[in-house]
Amino acid sequence: MKRISEINALGKERPNPSDEEREQLRRKRLQRERDEGYQKLVELCNFGEYDMAQQLANRHFNWGYEIVDGIVMEKID
């Protein structure tokens, strides 16, 4: 770790990612959030909390899941 006196505030310490790299990072983040959301929904259903799982799925519609008869299903549009 550098001392504050060694850091050039106007220097290039961290390169800015390109638009393509930003998009790739965004896609990875969204996929990770979707996977984590799926796990949360499955756990709620396993505990018998179907209403809570449905509320969570509705609140995070961008995950693309719904609860059908206590089972996490991928939404089909």
Side-chain angles (χ1 to χ4, degrees):
M1 193 159 160
K2 293 184 178 182
R3 295 180 178 265
I4 291 182
S5 62
E6 296 173 356
I7 297 174
N8 180 0
L10 300 176
K12 242 185 146 177
E13 295 294 324
R14 183 175 147 204
N16 287 332
S18 68
D19 289 340
E20 183 178 314
E21 290 172 323
R22 286 178 196 262
E23 181 62 26
Q24 186 178 24
L25 290 171
R26 187 185 71 80
R27 273 190 251 121
K28 284 182 182 179
R29 180 182 52 81
L30 291 174
Q31 185 61 46
R32 186 179 64 247
E33 288 174 4
R34 188 173 190 263
D35 293 343
E36 289 171 0
Y38 176 80
Q39 289 301 318
K40 289 177 186 178
L41 294 172
V42 167
E43 287 178 20
L44 286 170
C45 287
N46 287 340
F47 291 138
E49 296 289 344
Y50 308 119
D51 291 336
M52 190 173 285
Q54 185 64 51
Q55 290 175 14
L56 186 61
N58 290 340
R59 197 172 352 174
H60 296 281
F61 60 90
N62 56 326
W63 290 347
Y65 298 113
E66 62 184 341
I67 309 303
V68 178
D69 294 330
I71 299 172
V72 181
M73 306 281 288
E74 193 165 351
K75 281 186 184 177
I76 300 174
D77 293 330

